[in-house]
Amino acid sequence: MAQRLPEDDRREPRQPVLHRTRAAQVNGAELPVVVVNISPRGFMARSEAPHEAGDLLAIHMPVIGALEAEVRWSLGGRIGCRLLRPIDPTDYILMLQIMMRGMTAPSA
């Protein structure tokens, strides 16, 4: 039987992104993170800080501001998080547009 990865438990497909931001822990400490994919209900990020399942974070995103999330899993510098409240569909589209714009290389 194949081993299920944490990513396999998603409700919605994730949009690949590359967005550098900061995540605030409950104790107020802010840590740099790179969001690598996102959906209206969750995201995966890279982080050098140690995280454990159940940790709560507030992550800053374009358009929306701070989003509260629960770490569902942590493995090898990656964390999978479930948002405590889903992102509004209109805000989600605007946020993705801004994030995607930041991923395109400037033209020469």
Side-chain angles (χ1 to χ4, degrees):
M1 183 178 214
Q3 179 183 6
R4 288 186 63 164
L5 296 175
E7 298 96 309
D8 294 338
D9 291 330
R10 297 180 191 150
R11 292 183 184 173
E12 301 168 308
R14 300 271 176 100
Q15 175 66 43
V17 295
L18 187 60
H19 179 72
R20 295 178 195 284
T21 189
R22 299 189 71 73
Q25 295 178 312
V26 174
N27 66 6
E30 289 197 0
L31 312 162
V33 297
V34 178
V35 177
V36 296
N37 66 45
I38 192 162
S39 78
R41 296 180 189 276
F43 62 90
M44 184 175 74
R46 291 191 313 244
S47 174
E48 292 183 18
H51 297 280
E52 293 185 24
D55 287 352
L56 297 177
L57 303 173
I59 187 164
H60 191 288
M61 301 301 278
V63 176
I64 298 163
L67 292 173
E68 294 178 334
E70 176 187 6
V71 176
R72 302 293 288 188
W73 57 267
S74 176
L75 180 65
R78 296 180 304 154
I79 56 173
C81 297
R82 179 184 56 87
L83 297 174
L84 299 187
R85 287 189 204 102
I87 302 170
D88 174 81
T90 302
D91 290 342
Y92 181 71
I93 291 168
L94 290 171
M95 179 192 71
L96 280 179
Q97 289 173 345
I98 290 169
M99 293 169 93
M100 299 303 248
R101 228 179 288 145
M103 289 175 59
T104 52
S107 57

